[in-house]
Amino acid sequence: MIERHIICFGNPLHGDDGFGPAVYQRLAPHARPAGLRLTEAGAPGPAALALFQDCAEIVIVDALAPAGTPGRIGRPSPAAVMQEATPAGHGVGLGYVLRALAALSERPPAIEIIGAEAGTVAPFRPGLSEPVARAADEVAALLLRSYFDSERHV
Amino acid sequence: MARLELNVSLNRVEGDLEIAVALEDGVVAEARTIGTMYRGFEQIMIGRAPRDSLVITPRVCGICGTAHLYSAVLALENAWRLSPPPNATRIRNLCLMAEGLQNDLRQTFLFFSPDFCTSRYAGEPWFDEMTAMFEPFRGAIYLETLAMTRRLVEIVAHFGGQWPHSSYMAPGGVTLPADLRRISACRAVLQEAQRWYEQRIVGAPLDRWLALDRAEDYLAWLDEPLHAASALGALTRCARALGLHRAAAGTGHMLSYGSWRDPLESSPGAGASLLRSGFYDGDAGSVAQLDQELINEHVRHSWFRHYDGGRHPWRGETVPNYQPGGDRYSWAKAPRYGDKAVQTGPLAELLIGGDALIASLHAMEGGGAWLRQFARVRRIAYEFFYAQRMLDELAAEPHGEHFTPPAGSSEADGDGFGLVMAARGALGHWIAIRNGVIERYQIITPTAWNASPRDSAGLPGHWEQSLVGVTVKDPDDPIEIGHIIRSHDPCLVCTVHMLDTGGKVHFGA
């Protein structure tokens, strides 16, 4: 059992959908305290269920759907994310994964979500928009301050 | 931390596939499968070191990365004339079986079966039973499948370090040996999953289930209490009540590359398989020996740079050339075996591989949507059976070689192919190496065979043939199309869009 797992979802080939991987890139070079795991997880299909095992607390980093303010940082509740509508199939979204976790009989980990509102999400357009790149800097800095500041590093 | 509350969804970029259907009097008169996203891995590979394929191509898919890795390593071994030691083949097989197990269970009970729990079927006599088993996030089998499949991929992680996107196979073997700790851990997972499969999915011990070999016996078996109460029993009664056993056979021609390499009969990149390979000729009703030279791809109706006719993958190219508005309609190419459109998947795998029950049911009723799905659940038994055998053989020789380092001189220029049966069917990688780098790389996925568009002769692909003649009761809720496409376990997100064009009702473009 580890203490905390930061899981960054997203596809860096699809514009601002690459927010999670961008945060991962900013965090990865830093020494992590013992008990903290960091993962770039790609798109959250059923395979992502395994990432939520054997951990007390999960921090999910992901892009939020466009709503008019690109780069705005948000912390939606897991319950809200579970309401997302995605078709059943291999492309199931984070909402599906969270619902599946909640449905399993075991005690799920505590889950926090932090994201940034996307500006443009388009297939095969790599690179973040400027406001979302700034948000990636800010979220990475917040996570570093909150979770990486420990004397026991690995 | 900055704290803002947003009630927004986290939708992923979706929509890789559309099914376009023309209805006449409620019956599908014409269908087109439209791959809406360019993949491009073939172009990514050009000019790279040959071994890069082992890291890059498993990323083609987050569900079947082991199968892509297996194909990629077989292609290199075929080009370089290398044979892995038996234990390496056993470990590769074991991991491929684990990946297949998780996929077959999830596809059947998380993606296919929940379609029978929609309100459309609320008046059916079987509705309550199906809902109790398969309703998303509530049904008993649905929840058990979620829990069980999460454990099965631990087998891949024991040897590959992670799943998906692992890269533990290398030309000459695998990177980790099979010590007793790994063998014991994998055996524990498999045994637990097999017990669950026997008790909850088929209602019988594995040997009895595998010994069932005649269609009449299976239909009688449906009334036996344990099987009747099982998930497969319920699914079978429901699907057959809807007529899915006589619907959507599509092309009668089938293709299998053979299931899992025989550890003791491995030749460079190929060798014998535990379930035989072949081409099932739907006209003749017989199986012919597989000849990979007959495989070719057409681009006449695809958004790629034009060439005449079909090309074998070693001479193939994948140069995007998007041309909206014409008669080209897909980012998928049209693979053909000779001039035949074929289907692939568990039905093809078991029919060609020699499963007597599947052969008997196919002879009696043809290969409809139910038999395709039934074959997927049947294949799970073979995956358990052979996975346990791989573990037994590894346990008998735990210190056997797992890797034979290739001589530097073996990594020469040449051509190679790697063919495996992935969860969804026949998967092939073809590589051409020149001047030490990849000159060409072509991948034909199982879904490319099934979701093929028309070819140079105008011949529709398998899905396009499957859908013609299907009655759609409610154009606003074309669930019949969902049953049929999902029975193939599509690797692309299946979306159906509707556009009213007047005289006919169309779904899609």
Side-chain angles (χ1 to χ4, degrees), chain A residues 58-62 64 74-78 81 94 98 111-115, chain B residues 10:
Chain A
I58 303 285
V59 180
I60 293 170
V61 183
D62 201 351
L64 307 178
R75 305 189 70 189
S77 67
V81 173
L94 181 58
L98 296 182
I111 293 174
E112 283 186 76
I113 302 170
I114 184 162
Chain B
L10 299 176

Side-chain angles (χ1 to χ4, degrees), chain B residues 178-193:
Chain B
D179 60 23
L180 289 175
R181 184 189 63 82
R182 290 193 188 93
I183 292 171
S184 299
C186 294
R187 201 186 290 282
V189 172
L190 269 179
Q191 286 176 344
E192 181 187 352

